[in-house]
Amino acid sequence: MIAADRVRGVRIDLHTHSSASDGTEPPAAVVRAARDAGLDVVALTDHDTTGGWAAAAAALPAGLTLVPGAELSCGHAGISLHLLAYLFDPGHEGLAEQLARTREDRLPRAREMVRRLAADGYSLTWAAIEAQVARDGTTIGRPHIADALVAAGAVPDRDTAFAGVLNARSPYFVPHYAVDPHEAMRLVTAAGGVVVFAHPRAARRGRIVPDEVIATLAAEGLAGLEVDHRDQDEAARRHLRGLATDLGLVVTGSSDYHGTGKANRLGENTTDPDAYAELVDRARGAVRPLSG
Ligand code: AMP
Ligand code: ZN
Ligand code: FE
Ligand code: FE
C-alpha cells in the first residue's frame, strides 16, 4: 500500500487556514479545495483554535486524509513565533485554556488597533471588523483588520495593509497575549499531540528566535521544523535542514494557505511521506488522521 502510494506520489500539505481564523474559505471549502488541488493529506491549522475541525471532517472528500491541528501563537522574550500542533486532544484542559485565553485577548488588541487607525483618520469601525469575521469564536487577527481596510477602499489588498499599517513595526501595532513556547510544548505533548516549529526563519514577519531556542524546544520534544515555506529563501531552508539534521528533527513543507487572502496556493510546498509518517507515529493521543 505504502509502496503504491510512493509510486503515485502522495501529496501532503501540513499547514492551512480557514475562516475559523483568518483564512477566507470555510473549513468545508478548504478540504474540498485541497482535494481539487490533488492533495492526499491536508492539515487544518487555524490560529489558536480547533473550531474548524468538525466542519472540515464532515465535508472530507473521498481520498483525502485530514490531520486536525492548530497554529499556536507563542511569545518568547518579546519575539512572536508560531508552533504547529497536530493530533492533540482538543479537550485537554490546560491547552484549551491557553487557546481560549489567546483568542479572547485578541479582541481588545484588535479593538485598540482599530481605535488607533480610526483616530488617525482611517475609516474603520468595530462593526466593519465584525463584518469580516465568519462567526462568534473565530480567532480575530490583523488580516480581518486588513480586510476591513480593503472594504473601506483604503488599501487594495491584505499585503498592502501589512506593508503599510499592520506590521509589527507600525505605530498602530498592538501585541496580544501569547503562550510561552516551552509551556505550549508541554501542553501539546500532554494532550497527545506533536509539534512542528512553523516557518522558523520567516524574517520578513519580524524578529526570529535564535537556534538555541529551537535546540531547547527539541530537547523538550519538538518533532520538526517547517522548512519548505514561501517566506523562507533557499539560504534559510539550507540552514534549517542542517539544524534539523543536527537536532534529529523531521523536515516539513507546506503552503500556509489562507484562501483568497494570500497568494499561497494549496500544495505549493509539500511534506515527504516518511516525515509525515514519523509525525503521526509520534502522536500519542486518541486523535488520529481522518480518512474521507
Ligand atoms: P496576527 O495573528 O493577528 O498577529 O496576524 C498575523 C497573521 O497575519 C499571520 O498569521 C498571517 O496569516 C497574516 N499575515 C502576515 N503578513 C501578511 C501579509 N503580508 N499579507 C497577508 N497576510 C499576512
Ligand atoms: Zn494567518
Ligand atoms: Fe504562521
Ligand atoms: Fe499560518
Side-chain angles (χ1 to χ4, degrees):
M1 189 61 195
I2 295 284
D5 281 344
R6 278 289 143 70
V7 172
R8 189 161 56 87
V10 178
R11 286 168 48 76
I12 302 163
D13 186 341
L14 294 180
H15 186 167
T16 71
H17 297 272
S18 75
S19 59
S21 63
D22 57 13
T24 57
E25 316 304 316
V30 172
V31 291
R32 283 195 294 266
R35 193 60 187 142
D36 290 346
L39 292 174
D40 302 285
V41 179
V42 71
L44 183 67
T45 53
D46 276 305
H47 299 284
D48 308 311
T49 185
T50 59
W53 288 12
L60 201 58
L64 184 68
T65 294
L66 173 69
V67 179
E71 185 174 16
L72 311 188
S73 310
C74 300
H76 180 84
I79 301 176
S80 129
L81 62 103
H82 290 169
L83 295 180
L84 292 162
Y86 303 109
L87 301 169
F88 58 87
D89 171 12
H92 183 279
E93 240 177 76
L95 181 55
E97 206 176 277
Q98 284 297 328
L99 296 181
R101 184 170 167 195
T102 306
R103 286 196 306 275
E104 280 156 22
D105 193 59
R106 282 168 163 280
L107 275 155
R109 177 265 197 148
R111 279 188 186 273
E112 175 58 15
M113 287 188 70
V114 167
R115 191 197 64 74
R116 290 185 189 183
L117 285 158
D120 239 11
Y122 285 90
S123 111
L124 267 191
T125 59
W126 188 248
I129 305 302
E130 283 179 328
Q132 306 301 328
V133 173
R135 60 174 65 80
D136 284 356
T138 295
T139 304
I140 295 192
R142 283 177 282 164
H144 296 109
I145 304 175
D147 291 349
L149 287 167
V150 173
V155 292
D157 51 35
R158 280 187 181 184
D159 245 354
T160 311
F162 271 87
V165 294
L166 298 181
N167 65 75
R169 290 165 300 279
S170 154
Y172 306 106
F173 176 79
V174 177
H176 62 74
Y177 169 77
V179 63
D180 180 86
H182 305 288
E183 175 67 358
M185 270 297 319
R186 191 185 69 74
L187 289 168
V188 175
T189 306
V194 285
V195 177
V196 170
F197 200 126
H199 45 71
R201 291 223 153 201
R204 189 173 70 91
R205 293 160 179 256
R207 289 164 66 208
I208 53 173
V209 298
D211 289 350
E212 292 70 46
V213 173
I214 297 179
T216 307
L217 290 170
E220 292 165 1
L222 179 72
L225 299 180
E226 187 181 51
V227 173
D228 293 311
H229 182 288
R230 72 155 57 206
D231 292 351
Q232 293 173 158
D233 64 16
E234 211 26 74
R237 295 181 191 195
R238 209 177 310 117
H239 176 83
L240 289 171
R241 277 198 192 90
L243 190 61
T245 303
D246 291 349
L247 298 173
L249 299 173
V250 160
V251 160
T252 72
S254 44
S255 66
D256 206 352
Y257 176 74
H258 279 74
T260 56
K262 282 177 129 180
N264 311 36
R265 303 291 26 122
L266 284 161
E268 66 176 28
N269 288 296
T270 55
T271 295
D272 184 87
D274 291 335
Y276 168 64
E278 195 171 329
L279 293 176
V280 173
D281 275 355
R282 283 183 61 157
R284 313 237 59 89
V287 173
R288 306 305 297 165
L290 200 72
S291 293

